[in-house]
């Protein structure tokens, strides 16, 4: 539950803005991206619609499309952000000439387009007048540290998926192949050639020739075990047990709570991260609205957030037993 305090009008304007932004759903996406990438950028901006009305939207950028501009003398100080942009110019593809916008540079006071060589494009530099950078980072670090911007996050997920695919392909190969092979021993010089050794027709063999079979198959559990091993180890990196990954059922609420313990622990740690991040994003949203859409402006000075407590899943019998005990006490 988020609130900004002040009078009822200020609170209503903030609530309406969050509702128009679908802010809870947007933050759910940010939370999922944070778990995958460790760092995510969120930037509020005002969009002008075809009818002239203005509305605020949120942009979300992941490390794959962002570069941090740090102080050359202090790599822990971020001065600006480079965010990759897509400029679809269907009718006039050469309108920008050789300097087609590829990056957008944002600092606390200015923004500009850069080409693919990171050269500023003439005529695009502007002072935005916000006094703050519209891009707000959320990360597991309280402050920037050297080389804090990740570049290879999620590689374990890709490697695990490839491992599972490969194990499945090998298992399918063993499934389709004929694992039982005939072995013919004895003098086969008088034996008829080109006989089909299948279950549809018999094999004729002269006296003294014996036919047996051997099993060359591989137990598919070998590949299943390898795939499950990769899945379990990768899930453990993100606080997920194998029981949760495979949607295993549980017999009691206590067992369910034990399965969810790693996720609840991670959720508790992320409260501090998101409390700090949302306080900053509220201030930036208020400043962007004040400059670009005064009708949406609000005062964020009394902002606060209360996180709801997660409910323990109980069966009807367990709920009645707890109620009876409390009533007796």
């Amino acid at each position: 539950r988020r609130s900004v305090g002040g009078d009822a009008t200020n609170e209503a304007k903030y609530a309406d803005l969050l509702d128009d932004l679908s802010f809870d759903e947007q933050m759910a996406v940010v939370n999922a991206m944070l778990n995958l990438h460790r760092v995510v950028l969120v930037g509020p901006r005002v969009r002008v619609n075809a009818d002239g009305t203005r509305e605020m939207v949120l942009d979300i950028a992941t490390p794959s499309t962002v570069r941090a501009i740090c102080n050359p003398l202090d790599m822990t100080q971020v001065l600006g952000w480079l965010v990759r942009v897509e400029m679809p110019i269907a009718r006039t593809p050469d309108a920008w000439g050789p300097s087609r916008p590829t990056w957008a540079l944002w600092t606390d006071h200015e923004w500009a387009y850069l080409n693919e060589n990171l050269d500023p494009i003439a005529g695009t530099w502007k002072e935005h007048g916000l006094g703050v950078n519209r891009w707000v980072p959320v990360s597991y670090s309280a402050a920037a540290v050297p080389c804090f911007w990740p570049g290879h996050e999620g590689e374990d997920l890709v490697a695990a998926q490839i491992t599972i695919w490969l194990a499945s392909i090998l298992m399918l190969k063993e499934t389709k192949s004929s694992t039982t092979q005939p072995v013919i021993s004895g003098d086969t010089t008088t034996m008829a050639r080109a006989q089909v050794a299948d279950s549809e027709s018999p094999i004729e063999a002269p006296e003294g020739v014996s036919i047996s079979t051997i099993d060359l198959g591989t137990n598919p559990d070998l590949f299943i075990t390898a795939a499950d091993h990769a899945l379990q180890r990768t899930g453990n990196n993100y606080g997920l047990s194998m029981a949760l990954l495979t949607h295993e059922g549980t017999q009691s609420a206590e067992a369910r709570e034990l399965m969810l313990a790693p996720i609840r622990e991670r959720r508790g740690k992320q409260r501090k991260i998101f409390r700090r991040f949302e306080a900053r994003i509220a201030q930036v949203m208020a400043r962007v609205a004040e400059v670009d859409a005064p009708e949406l402006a609000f005062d964020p000075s009394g902002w606060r957030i209360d996180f709801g407590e997660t409910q323990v899943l109980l069966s009807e019998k367990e709920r009645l037993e707890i109620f009876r005990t409390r009533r007796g006490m």
Side-chain angles (χ1 to χ4, degrees), residues 220-234:
D221 290 340
L222 176 66
F223 307 105
I224 297 175
T225 302
D228 288 346
H229 174 79
L231 178 64
Q232 181 176 7
R233 292 300 180 269
T234 307

Side-chain angles (χ1 to χ4, degrees), residues 83-104 112-122 124:
V83 183
R84 194 168 186 87
V85 296
E86 296 291 341
M87 280 287 188
I89 308 175
R91 295 182 180 273
T92 55
D94 298 327
W96 293 89
S99 298
R100 182 168 181 171
T102 306
W103 298 91
Y113 282 131
L114 281 70
N115 60 21
E116 60 182 6
N117 296 323
L118 300 183
D119 297 325
I121 299 177
T124 63

